[in-house]
Amino acid sequence: QVQLVESGGGLVQPGGSLRLSCVASGNIYSLNSVAWYRQAPGKERELVAASPSRGWPNYGDFVKGRFTISRDDFRNTVFLQMNKLKPEDTAVYYCYAKIRTDYEGDMDYWGKGTLVTVSS
């Protein structure tokens, strides 16, 4: 079974930085599009950053200039570098990937999420 596992969340002060990682494992042929989403208490899940297989990534309006998505396809890993964090960035962050396996076509996969809390 293909699994996505996020790590790197925790408690940070406003203005601090944090790097999230997402490792995909299983019978993976290739990672296609990948993305980070987040969901704050009482809010709907929203797109943070997305990266297609090829081309420039796109970001949510509130994180542009502060967050950077990157990927290491050889290691099936996706990163989210978060700088100048604000209290309103507090949320559970989820990793998403569209993956082609050795036995199936493209399918959507989600991680369980990692909690980021920005507070002084």
Side-chain angles (χ1 to χ4, degrees):
Q1 295 286 340
V2 173
Q3 293 184 351
L4 304 182
V5 180
E6 304 99 332
S7 63
L11 175 63
V12 297
Q13 294 182 336
S17 297
L18 208 61
R19 190 180 78 158
L20 305 183
S21 299
C22 172
V23 179
S25 62
N27 297 319
I28 299 172
Y29 181 82
S30 64
L31 268 64
N32 295 317
S33 60
V34 297
W36 289 93
Y37 289 77
R38 71 184 185 187
Q39 187 168 21
K43 301 291 185 179
E44 296 293 326
R45 186 173 298 187
E46 64 178 348
L47 175 69
V48 177
S51 177
S53 300
R54 284 174 282 184
W56 290 97
N58 60 283
Y59 298 91
D61 291 338
F62 291 102
V63 302
K64 288 182 179 178
R66 298 188 297 122
F67 292 6
T68 303
I69 187 172
S70 60
R71 55 194 293 172
D72 184 342
D73 290 332
F74 180 78
R75 295 174 173 82
N76 293 325
T77 303
V78 186
F79 303 97
L80 181 68
Q81 179 66 46
M82 304 184 293
N83 299 322
K84 299 180 179 179
L85 285 162
K86 305 174 181 179
E88 49 264 46
D89 293 320
T90 296
V92 177
Y93 285 72
Y94 298 91
C95 179
Y96 160 86
K98 184 179 293 291
I99 297 174
R100 175 169 294 175
T101 69
D102 292 334
Y103 312 105
E104 300 175 342
D106 293 352
M107 297 183 64
D108 297 333
Y109 295 91
W110 290 88
K112 295 295 184 181
T114 184
L115 177 63
V116 173
T117 303
V118 185
S119 176
S120 59

